[in-house]
Amino acid sequence: MCEAPFPAGICIKVSWRQRSLAEHRNLVRTSAPQGTIPPDLTGLAELRDELRKVSPRMPVAGDTNGYAFPAKRHPGGYDDGDMSIFGGLLCLSGEAEGCELVRRAQSRNGQFWRSPARADSKTDDQFSGDQFKGLAAYWAGTGDSDSLEKYLDSVSAKWTPYPSKATNIVKMYNGCTDDPGGKCNIIDEEWRWLNIFAAKLGVDAHVPTDAKDYAAKFGDPVGMLPWKAIINKLGYRSHLVGVEIYISKKLGIADPRLDAAAEILAGRQPDNPFFLYLARGKDARVADLVRKKCVIDPAKQKWTQWSWERTESDHAWMDSMGWDCIFMINNLLN
């Protein structure tokens, strides 16, 4: 049998030259830094206040109230392409501006977009599975059942028949009005969250019948997280694994596979405070890393990076967008 999110079939064994993949996974897991002592929180609230003053906000063109939302900078303007995921993470950490960002990124028809500035825009890059994780964080942080209901109705109305050996034709649901590349297709991880929140918020009647038993249809995505934690390339792909763990733990979901995946991420990148927080919680080493990397230097800072989705060799914290640091400080203080 394969430990993978599909029915039993062809298994491919992957291994390193000196040890099996499972042995390597366990070795990396045990190399994660151990917990130390509770953190010293002195000065973190003040640092967060300063970051809130200087971190970039992108104005929405035509908004009569002058609304502006958290965003990255880029030469000559702003970068809002990934702000639904970052806004959702900020929201779940307790940052109200992140919640408002995601709320405003939903159109009247229920569809979500990459940022409030892109809602109802004419683009073929409207959303993605990465951005969906921001929705899950938003629903975890707000319990906004109305937005979830509207989104489910929108998704349920847009599907494409796909061939399947088991059923001849299955429905592939999609969350965007225009998606030629299939970036908005709803897959196993998304259905896990949609079913969790639909049940939690009382809108499970809006989940398509054939997507309610997502584990039978796709397999259990949680079982793959430890493997993704070890296999996914360091950078944004490993960060996405961390986001899955973060939301699950914030919801109080206890599962040893989540703990294993968190420790693997911390073992692979021990100086990433987000990964270490997932493994050790509010720990002094986490707070020390935040203080070390969250230094405000307007003269040098480009405000272009969510640092925790980059490798250590990128030194992305030197160009932190500020909001990534606010996110980590919230997790230590809240």
Side-chain angles (χ1 to χ4, degrees):
M1 296 291 291
C2 296
E3 186 175 346
F6 7 84
I10 298 175
C11 297
I12 300 175
K13 184 176 181 179
V14 181
S15 65
W16 271 251
R17 183 169 296 180
Q18 295 181 332
R19 63 178 73 93
S20 72
L21 180 57
E23 290 171 334
H24 182 75
R25 184 182 76 167
N26 292 336
L27 181 64
V28 172
R29 178 181 177 181
T30 57
S31 69
Q34 294 302 304
T36 53
I37 58 176
D40 175 9
L41 304 177
T42 304
L44 288 180
E46 291 76 11
L47 175 58
R48 181 178 60 184
D49 290 342
E50 288 303 308
L51 284 164
R52 284 172 175 160
K53 293 177 183 177
V54 297
S55 296
R57 294 174 176 85
M58 178 177 174
V60 176
D63 188 279
T64 56
N65 295 316
Y67 173 68
F69 58 90
K72 297 178 181 179
R73 295 287 311 210
H74 72 65
Y78 297 90
D79 176 1
D80 63 333
D82 289 325
M83 286 317 302
S84 278
I85 182 174
F86 300 145
L89 290 172
L90 284 165
C91 177
L92 187 50
S93 78
E95 197 69 17
E97 285 193 67
C99 303
E100 185 66 8
L101 185 163
V102 179
R103 187 186 73 79
R104 288 177 178 250
Q106 186 175 31
S107 299
R108 290 183 179 180
N109 68 356
Q111 178 179 339
F112 279 94
W113 301 73
R114 289 178 174 270
S115 84
R118 299 188 180 209
D120 295 314
S121 61
K122 294 181 179 180
T123 173
D124 60 1
D125 188 14
Q126 298 173 358
F127 208 64
S128 70
D130 298 3
Q131 301 310 301
F132 179 92
K133 290 174 173 53
L135 305 188
Y138 169 76
W139 289 319
T142 65
D144 185 353
S145 59
D146 289 341
S147 72
L148 175 58
E149 182 178 321
K150 286 170 59 180
Y151 181 72
L152 284 168
D153 289 345
S154 173
V155 166
S156 300
K158 188 172 187 293
W159 57 269
T160 304
Y162 270 60
S164 163
K165 289 183 178 179
T167 61
N168 296 320
I169 290 181
V170 296
K171 293 179 179 179
M172 176 63 76
Y173 293 92
N174 189 283
C176 294
T177 54
D178 185 18
D179 182 33
K183 286 186 176 182
C184 302
N185 286 343
I186 310 298
I187 59 171
D188 55 341
E189 293 173 353
E190 285 90 68
W191 283 122
R192 172 185 174 234
W193 289 122
L194 288 170
N195 276 277
I196 286 173
F197 289 114
K200 183 181 179 66
L201 302 179
V203 296
D204 49 318
H206 295 262
V207 177
T209 302
D210 62 320
K212 289 187 175 182
D213 191 355
Y214 66 90
K217 188 172 182 178
F218 299 107
D220 181 7
V222 176
M224 288 302 295
L225 287 178
W227 296 107
K228 288 183 177 181
I230 191 65
I231 293 173
N232 281 14
K233 186 177 180 180
L234 285 175
Y236 81 93
R237 293 189 181 280
S238 57
H239 178 263
L240 293 174
V241 177
V243 172
E244 290 282 324
I245 300 166
Y246 177 71
I247 301 169
S248 297
K249 290 197 169 192
K250 280 288 190 177
L251 287 173
I253 297 173
D255 191 312
R257 296 171 297 180
L258 295 171
D259 297 331
E263 290 177 354
I264 290 167
L265 291 177
R268 292 184 73 192
Q269 200 160 306
D271 289 330
N272 183 321
F274 176 50
F275 289 172
L276 192 59
Y277 170 78
L278 295 175
R280 302 291 173 245
K282 297 179 181 181
D283 184 83
R285 182 179 171 88
V286 176
D288 290 344
L289 285 169
V290 169
R291 284 194 180 88
K292 175 184 176 182
K293 298 189 173 185
C294 294
V295 178
I296 303 173
D297 188 352
K300 296 180 180 179
Q301 217 158 338
K302 297 179 181 177
W303 309 98
T304 59
Q305 296 288 345
W306 184 275
S307 309
W308 326 132
E309 68 166 353
R310 304 301 179 197
T311 65
E312 286 298 300
S313 60
D314 288 336
H315 297 229
W317 64 88
M318 297 178 68
D319 293 320
S320 162
M321 66 186 295
W323 296 102
D324 51 342
C325 289
I326 291 170
F327 166 75
M328 281 308 305
I329 294 172
N330 283 345
N331 284 311
L332 289 167
L333 294 181
N334 295 342

XYZ file of all heavy atoms in Angstrom, residues 50-59 68-74 77-80 83 90 97 101 296 298 301-306 319-326:
345
model
N 5.527 50.367 15.889
C 6.351 51.069 14.899
C 6.191 50.451 13.513
O 6.120 51.158 12.505
C 7.823 51.025 15.329
C 8.146 51.916 16.519
C 7.781 53.370 16.259
O 8.202 53.913 15.214
O 7.075 53.966 17.094
N 6.119 49.125 13.476
C 5.949 48.446 12.193
C 4.607 48.793 11.560
O 4.506 48.955 10.341
C 6.060 46.927 12.392
C 7.481 46.389 12.594
C 7.439 44.977 13.163
C 8.255 46.417 11.279
N 3.577 48.906 12.364
C 2.258 49.282 11.836
C 2.291 50.670 11.207
O 1.560 50.952 10.253
C 1.220 49.226 12.947
C 0.775 47.817 13.324
C -0.092 47.829 14.562
N -0.637 46.509 14.881
C -1.101 46.168 16.074
N -1.084 47.055 17.075
N -1.585 44.952 16.287
N 3.144 51.544 11.713
C 3.226 52.907 11.180
C 3.921 52.943 9.824
O 3.548 53.738 8.957
C 3.981 53.806 12.163
C 3.263 54.061 13.476
C 4.143 54.903 14.394
C 3.498 55.112 15.755
N 4.392 55.862 16.670
N 4.938 52.089 9.631
C 5.783 52.232 8.441
C 5.545 51.154 7.376
O 5.972 51.327 6.235
C 7.284 52.225 8.839
C 7.594 53.416 9.734
C 7.675 50.918 9.530
N 4.885 50.044 7.730
C 4.679 48.967 6.752
C 3.747 49.446 5.640
O 2.786 50.180 5.885
C 4.116 47.725 7.438
O 5.044 47.209 8.375
N 3.996 49.032 4.398
C 3.257 49.584 3.256
C 1.793 49.173 3.206
O 1.432 48.053 3.591
C 4.017 49.042 2.042
C 4.755 47.852 2.543
C 5.072 48.116 3.974
N 0.970 50.090 2.734
C -0.443 49.847 2.474
C -0.754 50.351 1.073
O -0.395 51.471 0.727
C -1.337 50.548 3.504
C -1.207 50.005 4.921
C -2.001 50.850 5.908
N -1.986 50.306 7.253
C -1.033 50.537 8.148
N 0.002 51.333 7.825
N -1.107 50.013 9.361
N -1.471 49.541 0.323
C -1.798 49.888 -1.055
C -3.191 50.489 -1.121
O -4.166 49.854 -0.695
C -1.735 48.637 -1.936
C -2.100 48.880 -3.389
S -1.902 47.365 -4.372
C -2.568 47.924 -5.953
N -3.339 51.700 -1.641
C -4.678 52.291 -1.768
C -5.470 51.615 -2.879
O -4.898 51.169 -3.874
C -4.382 53.756 -2.107
C -3.019 53.740 -2.715
C -2.269 52.613 -2.103
N -6.962 51.544 2.193
C -5.691 50.983 1.758
C -5.422 49.728 2.587
O -5.781 49.667 3.765
C -4.565 51.997 1.927
N -4.798 48.727 1.982
C -4.619 47.438 2.656
C -3.141 47.044 2.677
O -2.344 47.524 1.866
C -5.430 46.357 1.937
C -5.087 46.179 0.486
C -4.096 45.285 0.092
C -5.740 46.918 -0.497
C -3.770 45.122 -1.245
C -5.418 46.749 -1.843
C -4.424 45.860 -2.217
N -2.748 46.159 3.594
C -1.361 45.699 3.656
C -0.912 45.111 2.320
O -1.641 44.357 1.684
C -1.394 44.616 4.743
C -2.545 45.012 5.628
C -3.571 45.587 4.693
N 0.286 45.457 1.907
C 0.821 44.972 0.628
C 2.338 45.074 0.652
O 2.925 45.694 1.536
C 0.249 45.781 -0.535
N 2.954 44.445 -0.316
C 4.389 44.609 -0.524
C 4.635 45.855 -1.378
O 3.731 46.349 -2.048
C 4.971 43.398 -1.263
C 4.866 42.076 -0.534
C 5.436 40.962 -1.411
C 5.338 39.608 -0.758
N 5.873 38.514 -1.624
N 5.855 46.313 -1.364
C 6.264 47.353 -2.296
C 6.987 46.719 -3.474
O 7.499 45.608 -3.385
C 7.224 48.339 -1.623
C 6.630 49.158 -0.499
C 5.697 50.224 -0.985
N 6.236 51.031 -2.062
C 5.920 52.310 -2.265
N 5.091 52.919 -1.429
N 6.405 52.984 -3.280
N 7.026 47.404 -4.590
C 7.968 47.088 -5.648
C 8.337 48.409 -6.300
O 7.669 49.428 -6.069
C 7.414 46.061 -6.643
C 6.333 46.573 -7.550
N 6.543 47.552 -8.494
C 5.031 46.216 -7.667
C 5.429 47.788 -9.155
N 4.483 46.999 -8.663
N 5.738 51.216 -7.112
C 4.355 50.920 -6.743
C 4.247 49.837 -5.689
O 5.064 49.746 -4.771
N 3.224 48.996 -5.839
C 2.917 47.969 -4.847
C 2.794 46.610 -5.520
O 2.511 46.503 -6.712
C 1.611 48.294 -4.125
C 1.646 49.573 -3.343
C 1.287 50.784 -3.943
C 2.038 49.592 -2.020
C 1.319 51.974 -3.232
C 2.080 50.781 -1.303
C 1.714 51.962 -1.910
O 1.752 53.132 -1.203
N 2.966 45.563 -4.705
C 2.781 44.189 -5.151
C 1.709 43.566 -4.259
O 1.926 43.354 -3.065
C 4.104 43.419 -5.028
C 3.964 41.947 -5.390
O 2.855 41.517 -5.763
O 4.972 41.220 -5.285
N 0.541 43.291 -4.855
C -0.581 42.748 -4.091
C -0.976 41.346 -4.560
O -2.031 40.842 -4.225
C -1.795 43.674 -4.187
C -2.315 43.806 -5.620
O -1.514 43.648 -6.561
O -3.512 44.078 -5.802
N -1.631 38.800 -1.565
C -2.094 39.369 -0.312
C -3.290 38.647 0.316
O -3.563 38.835 1.489
C -2.400 40.856 -0.485
C -1.135 41.713 -0.589
S 0.202 41.279 0.584
C -0.624 41.460 2.162
N -2.434 37.170 8.687
C -2.488 38.304 9.612
C -3.783 38.277 10.415
O -3.789 38.508 11.631
C -2.373 39.618 8.838
C -0.978 39.998 8.346
C -1.051 41.096 7.292
C -0.105 40.446 9.526
N -6.561 44.402 10.265
C -6.383 44.844 8.878
C -6.296 43.656 7.919
O -6.704 43.755 6.761
C -5.134 45.706 8.746
C -5.303 47.107 9.301
C -4.181 48.031 8.876
O -4.095 48.336 7.664
O -3.386 48.439 9.748
N -8.856 42.958 4.769
C -8.291 42.734 3.437
C -9.005 41.572 2.748
O -9.468 41.696 1.606
C -6.798 42.445 3.568
C -5.937 42.284 2.308
C -4.457 42.438 2.680
C -6.125 40.942 1.606
N 13.803 47.589 11.841
C 13.312 48.627 10.934
C 14.474 49.500 10.485
O 15.170 50.103 11.300
C 12.236 49.495 11.618
C 11.080 48.634 12.120
C 11.723 50.572 10.664
C 10.068 49.387 12.955
N 14.398 52.022 7.400
C 13.785 52.593 6.189
C 14.777 52.996 5.125
O 14.459 53.015 3.933
C 13.031 53.811 6.738
C 12.794 53.491 8.183
C 14.003 52.729 8.616
N 15.662 49.264 3.705
C 14.605 48.273 3.518
C 13.815 48.524 2.239
O 13.445 49.652 1.934
C 13.652 48.318 4.722
C 13.125 46.975 5.142
C 12.650 46.999 6.596
O 13.064 47.840 7.379
N 11.789 46.065 6.929
N 13.516 47.457 1.494
C 12.735 47.576 0.266
C 11.269 47.209 0.474
O 10.460 47.431 -0.416
C 13.355 46.679 -0.813
C 14.767 47.087 -1.207
C 15.330 46.150 -2.266
C 16.752 46.544 -2.638
N 17.351 45.598 -3.621
N 10.937 46.585 1.601
C 9.553 46.238 1.952
C 8.925 45.297 0.916
O 7.774 45.421 0.577
C 8.701 47.511 2.084
C 9.291 48.552 2.968
C 10.007 49.640 2.564
C 9.264 48.599 4.398
N 10.416 50.377 3.654
C 9.962 49.755 4.799
C 8.693 47.788 5.381
C 10.131 50.116 6.135
C 8.844 48.135 6.711
C 9.548 49.283 7.087
N 9.716 44.333 0.452
C 9.261 43.489 -0.658
C 9.004 42.026 -0.291
O 8.532 41.265 -1.137
C 10.305 43.490 -1.788
O 11.561 43.005 -1.275
C 10.485 44.878 -2.371
N 9.305 41.614 0.934
C 9.295 40.181 1.224
C 8.430 39.807 2.434
O 8.428 40.505 3.443
C 10.726 39.703 1.503
C 11.673 39.830 0.336
C 11.382 38.819 -0.758
O 10.665 37.842 -0.563
N 11.952 39.049 -1.929
N 7.688 38.694 2.301
C 7.165 37.966 3.467
C 8.275 36.974 3.800
O 8.385 35.917 3.193
C 5.852 37.266 3.123
C 5.197 36.573 4.279
C 5.460 35.316 4.729
C 4.167 37.089 5.139
N 4.668 35.007 5.812
C 3.865 36.082 6.080
C 3.479 38.308 5.196
C 2.896 36.251 7.073
C 2.520 38.473 6.190
C 2.233 37.454 7.112
N 14.748 42.676 3.609
C 13.795 43.433 2.804
C 12.364 43.134 3.245
O 11.428 43.152 2.440
C 13.965 43.089 1.317
C 15.292 43.562 0.761
O 15.715 44.679 1.122
O 15.918 42.816 -0.013
N 12.197 42.844 4.514
C 10.881 42.506 5.065
C 9.834 43.552 4.714
O 10.096 44.753 4.727
C 10.986 42.392 6.592
O 9.719 42.466 7.194
N 8.627 43.067 4.403
C 7.515 43.987 4.137
C 6.922 44.543 5.425
O 6.006 45.369 5.382
C 6.433 43.274 3.335
C 5.745 42.150 4.084
S 4.569 41.201 3.076
C 3.330 42.433 2.700
N 7.425 44.109 6.554
C 6.928 44.603 7.833
C 5.781 43.782 8.373
O 5.755 43.431 9.564
N 4.832 43.440 7.523
C 3.651 42.704 7.962
C 3.988 41.278 8.384
O 3.292 40.697 9.239
C 2.598 42.711 6.860
C 2.093 44.087 6.552
C 2.447 44.874 5.504
C 1.171 44.851 7.339
N 1.790 46.089 5.570
C 1.004 46.102 6.693
C 0.468 44.605 8.525
C 0.160 47.093 7.179
C -0.375 45.591 9.021
C -0.520 46.818 8.349
N 5.029 40.701 7.811
C 5.462 39.375 8.237
C 5.937 39.409 9.686
O 5.705 38.466 10.458
C 6.549 38.828 7.311
C 7.700 39.805 7.089
O 7.534 41.015 7.351
O 8.767 39.360 6.629
N 6.602 40.500 10.060
C 7.057 40.652 11.445
C 5.891 40.924 12.388
O 5.850 40.402 13.514
C 8.083 41.775 11.523
S 9.675 41.352 10.746
N 4.943 41.717 11.953
C 3.736 41.954 12.755
C 3.027 40.635 13.023
O 2.570 40.363 14.141
C 2.807 42.951 12.033
C 3.442 44.341 12.013
C 1.432 42.999 12.692
C 2.720 45.339 11.125
